[in-house]
Amino acid sequence: MAEKFRFYALWLCLVCIIVFAIQSFFPVVTDVLLLNQDSFIKFQVWRFVSAIFVHGGLVHLMYNLFALALFGSMLEKFIGGKRFLWVFFLSGIIANIIAVNFYPASLGASGAVYGILGALVVIKPLMMVWAMGFPMPMFIAGVLWVLGGVFGLFDPTGNTGHIAHLSGIGVGFIIGIIFRITRKKKV
């Protein structure tokens, strides 16, 4: 029996919006919720999850909301809500943990969103999506997102967490492969 669609991606978008509104009125909240080296030293474990919902600005938030609502809903439809939440949180947490080793701090849902994209690349590689102004199969879009992240690593003027993006998509690839293997065994 198929799992009921719960709109988890949209609920997560709402959480991001609420947290951003709180950040806007109380900027100190950002420093309390983002992931940085203090998170490890002071054992502030909530930051591993809270950092996913904190964003550095309105544009950062809007890009993540768009991708989360669109691709997150697709992934939830294909693998179910519980598995979708695993992809989202595992990708977001791991991406932020890796990124904070290269940047002073890590925040945002980008790693989680890229994890969703990575899982979709493996689970539905031929699904047509609109990416970078063109319709293309999901696996081509995935290759372009990875290349964009790799090239972005060499942009000294950028303030984008490309390491978080690449880490997130890598985690998503792995989860997608695990999902495909376990699904084949059940058939």
Side-chain angles (χ1 to χ4, degrees):
M1 186 168 130
E3 186 179 335
K4 183 178 177 184
F5 190 80
R6 303 271 183 198
F7 299 94
Y8 286 134
L10 300 180
W11 286 109
L12 292 168
C13 286
L14 180 62
V15 172
C16 288
I17 291 167
I18 291 169
V19 170
F20 188 75
I22 293 168
Q23 284 179 260
S24 298
F25 289 107
F26 306 102
V28 71
V29 168
T30 304
D31 293 330
V32 174
L33 299 179
L34 60 73
L35 188 66
N36 58 22
Q37 290 301 322
D38 283 349
S39 310
F40 300 97
I41 296 166
K42 296 178 181 176
F43 202 65
Q44 297 169 331
V45 293
W46 71 85
R47 292 178 183 241
F48 295 104
V49 174
S50 66
I52 297 169
F53 298 102
V54 180
H55 287 82
L58 185 59
V59 173
H60 184 207
L61 175 69
M62 297 307 290
Y63 276 123
N64 281 338
L65 290 179
F66 173 75
L68 176 56
L70 178 65
F71 293 109
S73 295
M74 289 178 191
L75 185 62
E76 181 181 349
K77 178 181 176 261
F78 296 136
I79 68 173
K82 291 176 187 167
R83 288 187 187 107
F84 162 76
L85 289 173
W86 272 103
V87 172
F88 178 85
F89 283 107
L90 200 57
S91 298
I93 290 168
I94 292 173
N96 279 330
I97 288 172
I98 292 170
V100 80
N101 289 291
F102 296 91
Y103 308 116
S106 187
L107 68 153
S110 302
V113 168
Y114 271 77
I116 290 166
L117 296 171
L120 278 172
V121 165
V122 175
I123 294 167
K124 291 289 187 179
L126 299 177
M127 176 179 67
M128 294 301 287
V129 296
W130 190 266
M132 296 164 212
F134 301 98
M136 63 184 72
M138 188 68 194
F139 81 93
I140 299 289
V143 168
L144 293 175
W145 285 316
V146 168
L147 288 174
V150 170
F151 289 130
L153 292 174
F154 301 102
D155 178 11
T157 63
N159 192 23
T160 302
H162 294 289
I163 291 172
H165 297 172
L166 293 169
S167 301
I169 206 165
V171 172
F173 285 151
I174 293 167
I175 294 171
I177 290 167
I178 292 168
F179 177 77
R180 283 190 76 139
I181 290 170
T182 57
R183 194 172 79 189
K184 284 182 182 178
K185 287 182 180 180
K186 290 180 183 178
V187 175

